[in-house]
């Protein structure tokens, strides 16, 4: 097979976790991969494990539009026949924090990385996908369809990506470009947010702090799927001729999605309160309120 006949993929957020595993799995399936991340030292090590030009590290901050434009220019001169077979939009940041405690700076950064960056890179590289009749993939999340306390901002970013992917699917279908929205459950990665609760938070009391800490390590306690197994399943979806739009991968992904689809919201919220110890938080708050009134 000549160099120009090898199928080509580009993966963002490729330096660790899901992105890193996806790069490996794509190479296993015969792809040349442009592996993009802000830090490329791990990717450079990975590229040395394969034959030359099989994994090509590329430094990219997806929140920086100018860098995305430069990436497009780079690919214009390096892609064989101006074709990109897979664009895997995986880069992301987590945010586990009460909604009212997320600062404007952090809110903007999260949406730049989790939403706007993916939209920009998709629009800038779409001509390469159209040329190849390729596939665009987004790493979605159960957070975008379910109710996970202290994750409102992250959930909102993923819900935005879900809807973007679904509408994009309808628009790109006429170009024979597939769009896959991978609604992701528990996967063993290092994306967990460990930032502490600010002292001025309305939740800054023992029960609130405990509930937040319990939420931070939720995924690790629920038997998450390995990143390698997840990547194997999603790449199998990519190389399949099927066109499902939404796929559910990762531990509990299908189960929770069905629950959210059919269970009444009051029941979901009741279970969430019990599961995440919000009932204890509410009880402590009401007790504090009563004590304040008595004074």
């Amino acid at each position: 097979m000549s160099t120009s006949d090898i199928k080509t993929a580009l993966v963002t957020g490729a330096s660790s976790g899901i992105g890193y595993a996806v790069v490996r799995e794509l190479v296993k399936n015969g792809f040349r991969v442009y592996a993009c991340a802000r830090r490329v030292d791990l990717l450079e090590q990975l590229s040395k494990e394969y034959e030359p030009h099989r994994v090509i590290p590329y430094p990219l901050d997806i929140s920086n539009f100018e860098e995305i434009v430069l990436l497009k220019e780079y690919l214009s001169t390096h892609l064989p026949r101006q074709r990109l077979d897979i664009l895997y939009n995986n880069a992301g940041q987590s945010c586990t924090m009460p909604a009212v405690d997320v600062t404007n700076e952090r809110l903007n950064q999260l949406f730049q990385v989790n939403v706007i960056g993916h939209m920009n890179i998709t629009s800038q590289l779409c001509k390469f996908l159209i040329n190849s009749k390729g596939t665009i993939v987004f790493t979605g999340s159960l957070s975008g369809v379910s109710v996970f306390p202290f994750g409102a901002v992250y959930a909102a970013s993923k819900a935005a990506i879900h809807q973007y992917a679904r509408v994009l699917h309808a628009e790109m279908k006429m170009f024979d470009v597939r769009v896959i929205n991978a609604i992701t459950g528990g996967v063993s990665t290092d994306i967990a947010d460990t930032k502490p609760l600010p002292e001025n938070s309305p939740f800054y009391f023992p029960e609130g702090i405990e509930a937040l800490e319990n939420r931070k390590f939720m995924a690790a306690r629920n038997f998450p799927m390995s990143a390698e197994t997840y990547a194997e399943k999603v790449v199998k979806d990519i190389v399949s001729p099927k066109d499902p739009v939404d796929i559910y991968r990762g531990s509990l992904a299908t189960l929770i999605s069905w629950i959210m689809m059919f269970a009444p919201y009051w029941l979901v919220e009741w279970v969430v309160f019990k599961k995440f110890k919000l009932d204890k938080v509410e009880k402590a708050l009401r007790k504090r309120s009563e004590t304040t009134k008595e004074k």
Side-chain angles (χ1 to χ4, degrees):
M1 182 182 293
S2 69
T3 303
S4 61
D5 290 331
I6 298 175
K7 289 194 172 184
T8 305
L10 186 145
V11 181
T12 65
S15 61
S16 63
I18 288 173
Y20 192 84
V22 165
V23 170
R24 284 186 173 276
E25 190 63 28
L26 287 169
V27 172
K28 189 187 300 184
N29 280 265
F31 287 84
R32 176 195 292 115
V33 184
Y34 291 92
C36 301
R38 286 179 297 177
R39 291 185 53 205
V40 296
D41 50 335
L42 292 175
L43 297 174
E44 288 173 348
Q45 295 176 27
L46 176 61
S47 70
K48 294 175 182 177
E49 298 178 16
Y50 301 100
E51 62 187 73
H53 307 298
R54 180 63 71 171
V55 175
I56 305 169
Y58 187 95
L60 177 69
D61 178 356
I62 196 173
S63 68
N64 188 321
F65 181 69
E66 287 72 21
E67 290 193 17
I68 293 175
V69 172
L70 290 175
L71 170 63
K72 177 184 179 181
E73 294 173 356
Y74 170 84
L75 293 175
S76 294
T77 60
H78 287 79
L79 278 179
R81 295 180 291 176
Q82 299 287 287
R83 294 175 56 172
L84 181 64
D85 296 283
I86 297 171
L87 170 60
Y88 202 118
N89 290 297
N90 171 70
Q93 290 183 358
S94 184
C95 180
T96 305
M97 188 67 63
V100 295
D101 292 318
V102 179
T103 64
N104 179 65
E105 180 183 16
R106 192 170 184 196
L107 178 65
N108 284 328
Q109 179 63 20
L110 188 82
F111 270 78
Q112 283 290 340
V113 174
N114 289 8
V115 182
I116 297 172
H118 296 311
M119 293 178 176
N120 281 332
I121 199 168
T122 299
S123 64
Q124 289 297 305
L125 305 189
C126 70
K127 71 171 186 178
F128 304 130
L129 278 302
I130 291 172
N131 289 344
S132 67
K133 301 185 187 300
T135 301
I136 303 169
V137 187
F138 296 91
T139 299
S141 172
L142 274 182
S143 295
V145 299
S146 187
V147 182
F148 294 123
F150 308 128
V153 172
Y154 178 76
S157 73
K158 288 302 181 179
I161 277 297
H162 291 179
Q163 194 61 13
Y164 177 75
R166 289 161 184 161
V167 176
L168 183 69
H169 179 275
E171 295 176 353
M172 299 304 290
K173 192 171 186 177
M174 63 193 76
F175 297 102
D176 295 321
V177 173
R178 293 191 307 155
V179 177
I180 296 176
N181 178 38
I183 299 175
T184 303
V187 178
S188 183
T189 69
D190 59 357
I191 195 175
D193 183 7
T194 59
K195 293 181 178 63
L197 190 68
E199 293 185 9
N200 63 347
S201 169
F203 292 92
Y204 196 79
F205 53 92
E207 293 81 2
I209 294 170
E210 181 186 2
L212 178 63
E213 291 303 310
N214 178 64
R215 166 67 176 85
K216 285 179 180 178
F217 302 102
M218 172 194 68
R221 290 195 303 269
N222 285 278
F223 308 101
M225 179 182 290
S226 71
E228 291 74 21
T229 300
Y230 175 89
E232 182 179 354
K233 289 178 178 293
V234 175
V235 171
K236 188 176 293 185
D237 292 315
I238 294 171
V239 299
S240 164
K242 296 179 180 179
D243 188 20
V245 190
D246 291 341
I247 60 173
Y248 299 86
R249 299 291 178 260
S251 65
L252 301 178
T254 301
L255 174 63
I256 292 179
S257 295
W258 277 98
I259 290 173
M260 291 305 301
M261 193 177 301
F262 294 107
Y265 188 79
W266 66 264
L267 178 59
V268 171
E269 197 169 77
W270 182 84
V271 172
V272 165
F273 260 63
K274 294 293 183 182
K275 173 71 174 176
F276 295 97
K277 301 182 179 180
L278 295 187
D279 52 343
K280 294 182 179 179
V281 176
E282 183 180 27
K283 184 177 179 180
L285 276 171
R286 297 194 184 283
K287 185 176 181 180
R288 283 156 55 97
S289 178
E290 290 174 4
T291 302
T292 302
K293 287 180 181 179
E294 290 175 359
K295 290 180 179 181

